Amino acid sequence: MVLIRGAEATIYLDKNMGEVIKKRLPKRYRVKALDDAIIEERTKTEAKIISDVRRAGVPTPIILDLKDDEIKMEFIKGETLRDIVDEQMMEKAGEIVGKLHRGKIAHGDLTTSNMIYSDSEDRIYLIDFGLSRYDTETEARGVDIHVLFQMLKSTYNDHEELKNSFIKGYKRVLGEDEANSVLKRVEEIERRGRYK
Amino acid sequence: MKEDAIILGIEGTAWNLSAALVDERKIISEYEKPYLPKEGGIHPRDAAQSHASNIKEVISKTIRKAEIDLDEIKGVAFSIGPGMGPCLRTVATASRALSLLLKVPLLGVNHCVAHIEFGRWLTGAKNPLVLYVSGANSQVIAYRDKKYRIYGETLDIGVGNAIDKFSRFFGLKHPGGPKVEELAKRGKEYVRLPYVVKGMDFSFSGLVTAATSKSKENSLEDLSFSFQENAFSMLTEVTERALSYARRDELLLVGGVGANLRLREMLETVCEEREVKFFVPDRRYVGDNGAMIAYTGLLMLKNGMATPIERSSVKPNFRPDEAEIPWF
């Protein structure tokens, strides 16, 4: 059964087994050579990085099997933060992203759609690591946070409060100094994209 | 205000100086005088000087072509930003003078918003996700709660500037876009180049560097083809992501790079797959033009948003999400 037909991949759910298959479908708009390379790179990256993500203390689904264009993983029952996010959840998300960055990984696509809140466990899972990479540079961390903040601003009227809650959690894990240098870089990145 | 109020709009944020007269239903007349650099890219001061020497002609020809009386003009609209400071100031000065002379309100229009509103007007798109791609700007935008919101954008340079840098390296004259598009059609072999997407953001400078550094071992045709494929695939990917994220079933393409047929083809493919309606204005209206400024000025006038002269300073960094949109 198709659970989600996303922009990046289609997610099939096998409810009895408690498993999902994430399959990256070819994009007809891309030339084949480029498309094949992107699909393979992202599938491999995701499978490889996801175990290190767990090791860093970030809740994420367990990988069960891997092919060239698909990953079988544990099904997480819950709802994405997209429509239910509040300040408390965002503070938790800040802690989680702090742990990820401390674990030397940049996510590459941080949005509230890539965070699942599990009611039964009362915790937040981070998903979708296709654009992730090992990177401890302030720049990579800054872009991560910039992408998230931009998405908060476009989507929520109370984005300032959500942003501040996130920062609180992020600083708690990464430490005041390291977090501040990332946040300073976020401001720089925002200025860079503007009309010159 | 009478139903058939006419607005004069003047656009001059970058290389194209263009004026138009527009009413509620139609474009009445237009005239333009683009600045073309003798060599290299756009020099803001040269462009501003060119605008200054041509603006009188552009405005008077626009008005004369329309065969209307001056007192039928109910407002003077101009691009207040974003754009190149010297160019913006030239157009603003002329607009202020005209507004005083004609004794009608001055209307400072956000250039990006004008692309979107004009595109909606021409195509009938209602609440689309917008891909706005021009020289300096590359953004994914959608309306929510009184404002246009930016879902994704370039982390460094606009896609048009990236194409210009690429084409200047190979000695192609400005504007490089149409020339690269032609060369790309004759490309045969795809060369792997950097593909940088971060969520709904993207970056082009690495692509330019890599493509120009391969000029010895690959043909210009193959590089043009591969450059376009990478840049436009990145834009199409973030557009698809944003369509899904912002939950829209319409896509509107605006901005000068929207004239590129390969980009249109990619976006059409995604729209077909996702059952999204694809809208794009006529080729001559995707780029900068005076009519889009006049039309958006009309919307502002109808909503009591005239710009007092003392608050009409240009805003070179005016972002679309900073403009109030009460008419949506």
Side-chain angles (χ1 to χ4, degrees):
Chain A
M1 168 193 140
V2 173
L3 184 65
I4 301 162
R5 207 176 292 279
E8 173 72 14
T10 299
I11 315 285
Y12 301 90
L13 171 66
D14 184 338
K15 219 169 187 169
N16 296 327
M17 301 294 291
E19 296 168 359
V20 295
I21 290 176
K22 175 173 181 175
K23 189 173 173 65
R24 289 189 162 83
L25 300 168
K27 296 290 179 192
R28 279 201 297 133
Y29 63 83
R30 278 196 293 239
V31 288
K32 193 166 182 311
L34 175 60
D35 194 49
D36 287 350
I38 289 175
I39 287 177
E40 201 186 321
E41 274 168 26
R42 289 188 183 168
T43 306
K44 277 198 179 135
T45 303
E46 178 155 39
K48 184 161 161 251
I49 256 174
I50 227 168
S51 50
D52 287 330
V53 171
R54 296 175 60 78
R55 219 162 289 140
V58 177
T60 189
I62 296 167
I63 303 254
L64 304 165
D65 197 13
L66 170 71
K67 288 183 193 155
D68 272 355
D69 58 353
E70 61 177 60
I71 302 175
K72 189 190 274 184
M73 55 188 134
E74 167 197 15
F75 172 58
I76 307 296
K77 197 169 176 297
E79 203 175 333
T80 72
L81 259 55
R82 170 81 154 69
D83 296 318
I84 56 168
V85 70
D86 59 20
E87 289 175 45
Q88 237 182 331
M89 284 186 196
M90 219 49 221
E91 192 173 331
K92 272 220 169 106
E95 289 179 4
I96 284 169
V97 175
K99 283 180 189 170
L100 186 76
H101 285 180
R102 204 178 53 192
K104 303 183 166 69
I105 295 161
H107 183 274
D109 185 16
L110 282 179
T111 68
T112 47
S113 297
N114 285 338
M115 300 169 185
I116 300 177
Y117 177 67
S118 159
D119 205 3
S120 57
E121 300 171 77
D122 187 30
R123 64 174 180 169
I124 294 169
Y125 282 80
L126 198 56
I127 58 166
D128 267 357
F129 293 88
L131 298 176
S132 303
R133 59 192 177 125
Y134 297 96
D135 200 329
T136 52
E137 298 289 323
T138 307
E139 178 68 17
R141 293 174 172 180
V143 169
D144 244 8
I145 307 291
H146 163 72
V147 164
L148 178 71
F149 285 177
Q150 173 164 271
M151 174 260 143
L152 291 178
K153 194 177 175 195
S154 69
T155 309
Y156 306 105
N157 286 345
D158 58 345
H159 60 91
E160 281 298 336
E161 289 83 356
L162 294 175
K163 190 171 143 176
N164 290 334
S165 308
F166 178 89
I167 290 173
K168 221 196 272 175
Y170 188 66
K171 280 184 173 170
R172 190 176 301 134
V173 172
L174 207 58
E176 193 84 14
D177 290 351
E178 223 170 320
N180 278 335
S181 68
V182 174
L183 294 168
K184 223 179 120 202
R185 184 61 65 95
V186 173
E187 286 172 20
E188 250 178 73
I189 292 165
E190 276 166 14
R191 281 197 298 271
R192 231 182 274 161
R194 297 187 176 197
Y195 211 107
K196 282 168 231 74
Chain B
M1 199 178 89
K2 266 176 30 195
E3 264 294 296
D4 54 354
I6 295 172
I7 303 293
L8 173 69
I10 312 170
E11 156 62 27
T13 52
W15 63 287
N16 196 18
L17 178 67
S18 161
L21 286 161
V22 159
D23 69 16
E24 195 94 17
R25 285 155 300 165
K26 62 186 179 302
I27 300 163
I28 302 166
S29 71
E30 337 167 53
Y31 190 82
E32 64 178 22
K33 199 108 193 192
Y35 152 80
L36 290 170
K38 284 189 191 68
E39 53 176 355
I42 301 168
H43 312 289
R45 255 178 244 187
D46 280 356
Q49 263 174 21
S50 159
H51 292 352
S53 47
N54 291 322
I55 198 158
K56 199 173 150 226
E57 180 196 341
V58 167
I59 291 167
S60 57
K61 286 213 168 135
T62 303
I63 295 173
R64 218 173 306 145
K65 269 168 82 180
E67 296 176 352
I68 55 158
D69 294 324
L70 280 181
D71 63 3
E72 287 179 75
I73 298 174
K74 302 297 180 211
V76 175
F78 72 105
S79 285
I80 197 166
M84 295 177 174
C87 300
L88 291 171
R89 284 190 287 276
T90 302
V91 171
T93 304
S95 305
R96 284 184 204 112
L98 259 177
S99 136
L100 288 171
L101 180 78
L102 300 173
K103 299 192 177 65
V104 296
L106 184 65
L107 304 147
V109 174
N110 179 295
H111 174 91
C112 312
V113 168
H115 271 294
I116 300 172
E117 293 304 343
F118 190 56
R120 287 175 60 219
W121 189 49
L122 292 178
T123 65
K126 289 188 183 67
N127 187 10
L129 185 84
V130 182
L131 177 62
Y132 169 39
V133 278
S134 67
N137 300 292
S138 296
Q139 290 169 328
V140 181
I141 301 167
Y143 176 85
R144 182 183 62 77
D145 190 24
K146 303 277 178 284
K147 278 185 179 166
Y148 283 109
R149 314 282 170 168
I150 302 168
Y151 285 80
E153 66 184 318
T154 180
L155 290 163
D156 42 44
I157 54 175
V159 63
N161 280 352
I163 296 171
D164 284 341
K165 280 188 180 180
F166 173 84
S167 55
R168 267 209 305 284
F169 178 87
F170 291 102
L172 307 171
K173 274 211 159 188
H174 185 88
K179 298 179 186 87
V180 173
E181 185 174 5
E182 272 314 304
L183 286 162
K185 282 184 197 155
R186 284 181 267 135
K188 289 193 182 71
E189 204 180 322
Y190 173 74
V191 183
R192 187 72 204 275
L193 295 169
Y195 185 98
V196 184
V197 166
K198 312 267 177 191
M200 287 179 263
D201 284 354
F202 40 88
S203 134
F204 293 115
S205 54
L207 174 60
V208 175
T209 311
T212 51
S213 73
K214 287 177 191 282
S215 64
K216 292 235 160 55
E217 59 262 45
N218 300 98
S219 72
L220 177 54
E221 286 80 2
D222 284 349
L223 284 176
S224 299
F225 167 64
S226 309
F227 184 94
Q228 275 202 166
E229 286 305 313
N230 268 46
F232 296 161
S233 291
M234 282 158 56
L235 290 170
T236 305
E237 179 182 339
V238 297
T239 299
E240 186 177 15
R241 192 165 292 143
L243 278 169
S244 153
Y245 180 78
R247 297 168 185 158
R248 295 302 146 106
D249 56 9
E250 297 178 327
L251 174 66
L252 173 65
L253 172 65
V254 295
V257 183
N260 187 295
L261 296 179
R262 178 61 182 132
L263 175 60
R264 291 185 182 204
E265 183 183 53
M266 286 193 195
L267 294 169
E268 265 164 23
T269 306
V270 158
C271 287
E272 244 174 62
E273 281 175 357
R274 300 195 70 89
E275 291 176 30
V276 166
K277 271 192 238 157
F278 182 53
F279 297 93
V280 56
D282 191 88
R283 233 172 132 131
R284 71 196 169 108
Y285 287 127
V286 287
D288 296 351
N289 65 81
M292 70 185 203
I293 303 301
Y295 174 70
T296 310
L298 180 63
L299 292 177
M300 288 176 71
L301 186 64
K302 280 165 68 183
N303 285 274
M305 294 168 72
T307 310
I309 291 211
E310 63 276 14
R311 274 189 279 138
S312 65
S313 300
V314 301
K315 302 174 183 173
N317 297 309
F318 197 6
R319 289 167 65 77
D321 59 358
E322 290 163 354
E324 294 292 331
I325 312 292
W327 52 74
F328 196 92

